[in-house]
Amino acid sequence: MSIGGPLFMLKWNGVICPCLEKSEDRGAREALALLSGLSVSWLKTGRDKGIGGMVSGWFSAATKGEQVSADIVKARLQWIDKEDGPELQIKPTAQTSLQENGEISLKKQSSGYIKTVPLKQLDKVELQDGNLVVLQTEAENGRMKDLVSLQVDDGKGTVIKEAFTQMVEWDGRRRSAIPEEDRELDERQGIKARAQKAAHFAKREIELQQHRRERDKRKARYAESGGLKYTALAMANRAAAEDEG
């Protein structure tokens, strides 16, 4: 959570100066505290697993009732301030298992990567089956599309769903309060920053490749000069031996 970012300000404004905190911001701050570090089971669907993902269960799709494969990955939630706004991170955790000898070992999960969801992409939060919290975004056709499905502890589904709703509504108010020209500037700056970062890594990769080529050329020259040197010495030694004979 970067200093000065929206999440940082939300967290600390109410602590430093509660008298100036709005009631709706207080609800969002409490929601942020509840959702930070929260342990969940991430239902990692086919598009999240990537190639080679192991299928461990079958669940009904939220919208069409069709069967889709999903891994259940134990994870924790984390919130960070990014250049283009607050972001939810779903970070898989290591599971522990008790071995026959009584020792505890870490069980590596087929997590693949950290799931990131920009808060501005969230438009609706649904609760299914009592403890399955589904984060949704509005698609171009106007229908809701599932982004992430998180299974929480029994009895906490309603509370967690309301906490996510508080965060979505808070971010909507925050972005609406920003003048349109400032929002456009922020978006351009975010795009510019990402482009600069990509250009930096591309330049770095080109430099590394150039260094490798120069190093290979030096090795080739050394090998060639060394080879000629030893060949000349061998010929001189052979000629000297023939003269002595």
Side-chain angles (χ1 to χ4, degrees):
M1 196 177 297
S2 61
I3 296 177
L7 293 174
F8 179 87
M9 299 301 293
L10 174 66
K11 179 179 179 180
W12 291 107
N13 275 353
V15 176
I16 297 174
C17 192
C19 59
L20 298 180
E21 185 181 39
K22 298 178 181 179
S23 58
E24 56 266 30
D25 287 347
R26 183 182 305 114
R29 176 169 58 84
E30 293 172 351
L32 176 62
L34 176 63
L35 296 175
S36 297
L38 180 69
S39 296
V40 298
S41 294
W42 170 27
L43 271 62
K44 191 175 175 187
T45 56
R47 65 175 176 271
D48 294 320
K49 291 188 293 183
I51 298 175
M54 299 280 295
V55 177
S56 63
W58 293 89
F59 298 89
S60 296
T63 55
K64 298 181 180 179
E66 60 193 18
Q67 295 293 317
V68 294
S69 63
D71 279 342
I72 300 178
V73 178
K74 297 294 183 182
R76 287 187 184 277
L77 304 185
Q78 180 176 332
W79 296 86
I80 61 173
D81 280 315
K82 302 286 284 188
E83 293 171 348
D84 53 352
E87 179 181 89
L88 169 66
Q89 291 190 344
I90 305 170
K91 306 183 71 172
T93 57
Q95 292 179 288
T96 59
S97 61
L98 187 63
Q99 298 180 342
E100 293 181 358
N101 58 7
E103 295 182 356
I104 295 177
S105 65
L106 294 178
K107 179 182 178 182
K108 188 176 181 181
Q109 301 187 94
S110 58
S111 53
Y113 63 92
I114 297 173
K115 178 72 172 180
T116 61
V117 183
L119 184 53
K120 65 182 180 182
Q121 288 187 4
L122 300 184
D123 295 305
K124 187 178 179 181
V125 185
E126 278 200 349
L127 181 64
Q128 301 174 5
D129 300 327
N131 65 340
L132 185 63
V133 178
V134 183
L135 310 182
Q136 300 178 323
T137 188
E138 185 174 351
E140 294 181 358
N141 58 10
R143 295 182 178 181
M144 287 299 165
K145 175 183 176 182
D146 295 352
L147 288 179
V148 180
S149 297
L150 304 172
Q151 194 169 12
V152 300
D153 293 339
D154 291 339
K156 293 185 178 180
T158 300
V159 175
I160 302 303
K161 184 254 187 185
E162 290 301 322
F164 271 112
T165 301
Q166 287 267 17
M167 293 299 296
V168 171
E169 294 176 350
W170 164 79
D171 190 58
R173 292 191 302 269
R174 180 189 67 82
R175 289 186 288 112
S176 297
I178 301 174
E180 184 175 354
E181 57 271 19
D182 290 346
R183 289 201 299 271
E184 293 177 352
L185 177 61
D186 289 343
E187 291 179 359
R188 288 198 298 270
Q189 289 176 340
I191 294 172
K192 181 180 179 181
R194 290 193 292 273
Q196 289 175 341
K197 185 179 294 185
H200 167 76
F201 286 113
K203 181 181 178 182
R204 179 61 177 162
E205 181 61 25
I206 292 173
E207 291 175 349
L208 290 174
Q209 291 180 1
Q210 184 176 353
H211 289 325
R212 284 194 290 267
R213 285 196 295 268
E214 292 175 353
R215 183 185 61 195
D216 292 341
K217 288 180 181 179
R218 288 196 300 269
K219 286 183 177 180
R221 286 198 300 270
Y222 294 152
E224 183 179 353
S225 61
L228 292 174
K229 175 182 177 181
Y230 290 118
T231 300
L233 288 174
M235 291 176 65
N237 291 334
R238 187 163 56 249
E242 289 175 355
D243 291 339
E244 292 177 358

